Amino acid sequence: MTAMVKRYSSFLLVLVMLGGISLFNQELGKGVFDITIMQLKEMLLVIPPIFVLLGLLDVWVPKQTMVKFMGKGSGLKGILLSLLIGSAAAGPLYGAFPVAAVFMKKGVTFPNILIFIGAWSTTKIPMILFEFSALGAPFALTRLLIDIPGIIIIAFLLQKLMGRDEIEAIYEKARAQ
Amino acid sequence: MNLILYSATALLLMLSFLKDKEKTKNALKKAWKAFENILPQFLVVILLVSLLLSVLDRETIVKIIGKESGLTGIVLAAVVGSITLIPGFIAFPTAALLLEGGAGYMQIGVFISTLMMVGVATLPVEIQYFGKRLARYRNTLAFIFSFIVAYVIGKVLEVVL
């Protein structure tokens, strides 16, 4: 019970803080409440299948297979696959991190993990379709063309910035979950 | 899109169940564990994003970066974009409105790019998996990169349009 309260302490703290704000500014409080409901709906809609898929991935896909496709030595194929899987994703960015953790467990390389996260955040296909209609093809296409190399460069830069030990520690944590 | 996601998941789950009941049960257990593990951070992020979206509604954003032009507008757009990850269905109409309101393509470019790549409000989830240092580096690099994106978009659209 206490462990539970401890885990949710940040959440409870923010909740109390928002309750306090609502007392002084009811309009803001109502706005926050409405948007929270909207976001919870989105979470309940998109998040369950993502987690079920990652559970299935964890159980069924052997590590060797994942390593072959996206692990050490997967080269360009691994990079393209990471981009593709990230772009095909649905849902908010915070859904990408648990998937990335399972990928780490399965031996996907660090740059490929980061490319996957980058693609999930910026080149998601459903979002790009929306962008085409809202901001026009020149805008969306230019952004896409610069974002794809950008994501890859940032991924390798981050690998250089982080030490080998730190990366290993992040993988260790993912394996423990 | 959701329909595709659900159909694919249901199909795979069924195949898995037909092939091996135990493994499927195990997969669902893992799915639940992974979800419950991160749920506290998810809830914090949802509340923070809700607060930010209420404060930074469409009119406020347009007021902050709409009329302004030049460097100040670009920097403000980057800051507003970085605070939160706004879902696409809100971000793009807002951006279209900003364009109508007279904002330049560079402001819109940096706004959209930081919105998607830089997330201060989602840091609790990111740190949980990646640790503080990587989360900090990733967001900083994405922030800097967004200015490059904005510059290129601005220049390209100047030529195209």
Side-chain angles (χ1 to χ4, degrees):
Chain A
M1 185 63 195
T2 37
M4 178 106 159
V5 171
K6 207 173 159 205
R7 284 189 57 219
Y8 285 86
S9 58
S10 306
F11 168 65
L12 293 172
L13 190 76
V14 178
L15 202 63
V16 168
M17 190 187 82
L18 285 177
I21 292 177
S22 307
L23 285 181
F24 291 103
N25 189 338
Q26 283 181 359
E27 202 186 328
L28 183 64
K30 197 186 167 299
V32 173
F33 182 78
D34 289 345
I35 299 173
T36 302
I37 296 295
M38 192 185 81
Q39 282 200 84
L40 282 176
K41 266 189 205 154
E42 195 198 357
M43 182 172 105
L44 288 178
L45 208 66
V46 193
I47 293 293
I50 292 177
F51 277 90
V52 170
L53 285 176
L54 76 83
L56 289 172
L57 175 79
D58 202 350
V59 169
W60 283 107
V61 182
K63 193 172 170 183
Q64 303 97 286
T65 313
M66 285 294 280
V67 169
K68 205 173 97 199
F69 284 108
M70 295 162 81
K72 230 180 187 159
S74 60
L76 191 65
K77 179 180 63 184
I79 293 177
L80 290 177
L81 256 176
S82 308
L83 271 176
L84 210 70
I85 298 175
S87 300
L93 183 65
Y94 56 70
F97 296 110
V99 181
V102 176
F103 280 3
M104 283 191 249
K105 237 164 118 176
K106 296 283 179 190
V108 173
T109 63
F110 191 60
N112 283 347
I113 296 279
L114 294 167
I115 290 168
F116 162 76
I117 295 278
W120 186 308
S121 69
T122 60
T123 60
K124 261 187 303 191
I125 294 159
M127 222 159 57
I128 284 176
L129 296 177
F130 199 167
E131 186 176 359
F132 265 92
S133 63
L135 296 173
F139 185 97
L141 276 179
T142 310
R143 196 183 65 78
L144 197 61
L145 283 178
I146 179 155
D147 264 349
I148 291 172
I151 288 167
I152 298 170
I153 292 167
I154 288 178
F156 283 97
L157 252 172
L158 283 170
Q159 190 191 25
K160 283 264 174 300
L161 280 170
M162 300 288 290
R164 191 177 288 241
D165 295 344
E166 278 178 293
I167 295 174
E168 187 43 46
I170 293 170
Y171 272 71
E172 200 56 57
K173 204 176 163 195
R175 276 193 289 268
Q177 275 178 358
Chain B
M1 197 61 204
N2 282 333
L3 195 69
I4 303 173
L5 185 65
Y6 269 86
S7 322
T9 309
L11 188 74
L12 288 173
L13 198 60
M14 222 155 66
L15 279 175
S16 168
F17 187 77
L18 289 177
K19 223 173 160 194
D20 192 330
K21 264 187 215 173
E22 256 331 288
K23 265 191 165 178
T24 309
K25 229 168 95 184
N26 200 2
L28 288 176
K29 253 190 214 154
K30 283 188 181 222
W32 172 252
K33 217 186 113 200
F35 176 70
E36 213 277 326
N37 212 2
I38 196 63
L39 187 61
Q41 281 80 9
F42 270 5
L43 291 173
V44 170
V45 166
I46 283 180
L47 286 181
L48 288 180
V49 171
S50 298
L51 177 64
L52 289 164
L53 286 181
S54 319
V55 177
L56 289 173
D57 57 6
R58 204 185 272 190
E59 291 81 43
T60 314
I61 293 175
V62 172
K63 221 186 282 167
I64 296 176
I65 44 184
K67 295 254 158 59
E68 225 112 4
S69 57
L71 203 61
T72 330
I74 295 175
V75 172
L76 281 176
V79 171
V80 173
S82 299
I83 298 172
T84 177
L85 289 158
I86 298 178
F89 63 89
I90 300 176
F92 292 125
T94 307
L97 208 72
L98 281 169
L99 272 182
E100 277 169 36
Y105 276 105
M106 282 197 195
Q107 282 97 319
I108 308 297
V110 83
F111 178 63
I112 292 288
S113 183
T114 48
L115 267 184
M116 293 176 169
M117 299 183 96
V118 187
V120 174
T122 42
L123 274 178
V125 174
E126 189 166 351
I127 288 172
Q128 179 77 8
Y129 288 101
F130 280 180
K132 270 193 189 134
R133 247 165 71 91
L134 180 57
R136 209 182 301 148
Y137 279 147
R138 194 196 70 77
N139 281 284
T140 310
L141 284 181
F143 186 79
I144 297 167
F145 175 66
S146 296
F147 285 91
I148 302 173
V149 174
Y151 182 78
V152 174
I153 286 180
K155 286 290 163 207
V156 168
L157 291 194
E158 221 171 77
V159 175
V160 172
L161 298 177

PDB file of all heavy atoms in Angstrom, chain B residues 9 28 38 90 114 147:
ATOM      1  N   THR B   9      -3.926  -5.984 -33.994  1.00  0.00           N
ATOM      2  CA  THR B   9      -3.650  -6.525 -32.660  1.00  0.00           C
ATOM      3  C   THR B   9      -4.535  -7.731 -32.367  1.00  0.00           C
ATOM      4  O   THR B   9      -4.049  -8.761 -31.879  1.00  0.00           O
ATOM      5  CB  THR B   9      -3.883  -5.444 -31.584  1.00  0.00           C
ATOM      6  OG1 THR B   9      -3.176  -4.267 -31.961  1.00  0.00           O
ATOM      7  CG2 THR B   9      -3.391  -5.900 -30.235  1.00  0.00           C
ATOM      8  N   LEU B  28       0.282 -11.235 -22.441  1.00  0.00           N
ATOM      9  CA  LEU B  28      -0.679 -10.291 -21.862  1.00  0.00           C
ATOM     10  C   LEU B  28      -0.210  -9.830 -20.486  1.00  0.00           C
ATOM     11  O   LEU B  28      -0.370  -8.668 -20.121  1.00  0.00           O
ATOM     12  CB  LEU B  28      -2.063 -10.919 -21.788  1.00  0.00           C
ATOM     13  CG  LEU B  28      -2.754 -11.067 -23.144  1.00  0.00           C
ATOM     14  CD1 LEU B  28      -4.078 -11.792 -23.007  1.00  0.00           C
ATOM     15  CD2 LEU B  28      -2.976  -9.690 -23.788  1.00  0.00           C
ATOM     16  N   ILE B  38       4.582   2.078 -15.971  1.00  0.00           N
ATOM     17  CA  ILE B  38       4.782   3.458 -16.424  1.00  0.00           C
ATOM     18  C   ILE B  38       3.537   4.311 -16.164  1.00  0.00           C
ATOM     19  O   ILE B  38       3.562   5.521 -16.343  1.00  0.00           O
ATOM     20  CB  ILE B  38       5.186   3.473 -17.929  1.00  0.00           C
ATOM     21  CG1 ILE B  38       5.775   4.826 -18.335  1.00  0.00           C
ATOM     22  CG2 ILE B  38       4.057   3.077 -18.839  1.00  0.00           C
ATOM     23  CD1 ILE B  38       7.050   5.187 -17.619  1.00  0.00           C
ATOM     24  N   ILE B  90      -4.527  19.156 -32.967  1.00  0.00           N
ATOM     25  CA  ILE B  90      -4.612  20.525 -32.455  1.00  0.00           C
ATOM     26  C   ILE B  90      -3.507  21.373 -33.084  1.00  0.00           C
ATOM     27  O   ILE B  90      -3.706  22.531 -33.448  1.00  0.00           O
ATOM     28  CB  ILE B  90      -4.463  20.561 -30.912  1.00  0.00           C
ATOM     29  CG1 ILE B  90      -5.579  19.745 -30.261  1.00  0.00           C
ATOM     30  CG2 ILE B  90      -4.495  21.994 -30.383  1.00  0.00           C
ATOM     31  CD1 ILE B  90      -5.449  19.655 -28.756  1.00  0.00           C
ATOM     32  N   THR B 114       9.489  21.780 -32.946  1.00  0.00           N
ATOM     33  CA  THR B 114       9.708  21.625 -31.502  1.00  0.00           C
ATOM     34  C   THR B 114       8.523  20.928 -30.847  1.00  0.00           C
ATOM     35  O   THR B 114       8.692  20.135 -29.926  1.00  0.00           O
ATOM     36  CB  THR B 114       9.941  22.978 -30.792  1.00  0.00           C
ATOM     37  OG1 THR B 114       8.925  23.892 -31.217  1.00  0.00           O
ATOM     38  CG2 THR B 114      11.299  23.549 -31.105  1.00  0.00           C
ATOM     39  N   PHE B 147      15.630  24.656 -35.278  1.00  0.00           N
ATOM     40  CA  PHE B 147      15.948  25.937 -35.913  1.00  0.00           C
ATOM     41  C   PHE B 147      16.467  25.711 -37.336  1.00  0.00           C
ATOM     42  O   PHE B 147      16.186  26.499 -38.238  1.00  0.00           O
ATOM     43  CB  PHE B 147      16.969  26.716 -35.075  1.00  0.00           C
ATOM     44  CG  PHE B 147      16.352  27.328 -33.849  1.00  0.00           C
ATOM     45  CD1 PHE B 147      16.322  26.639 -32.650  1.00  0.00           C
ATOM     46  CD2 PHE B 147      15.772  28.589 -33.901  1.00  0.00           C
ATOM     47  CE1 PHE B 147      15.731  27.198 -31.523  1.00  0.00           C
ATOM     48  CE2 PHE B 147      15.180  29.157 -32.779  1.00  0.00           C
ATOM     49  CZ  PHE B 147      15.164  28.444 -31.583  1.00  0.00           C
TER      50      PHE B 147
END
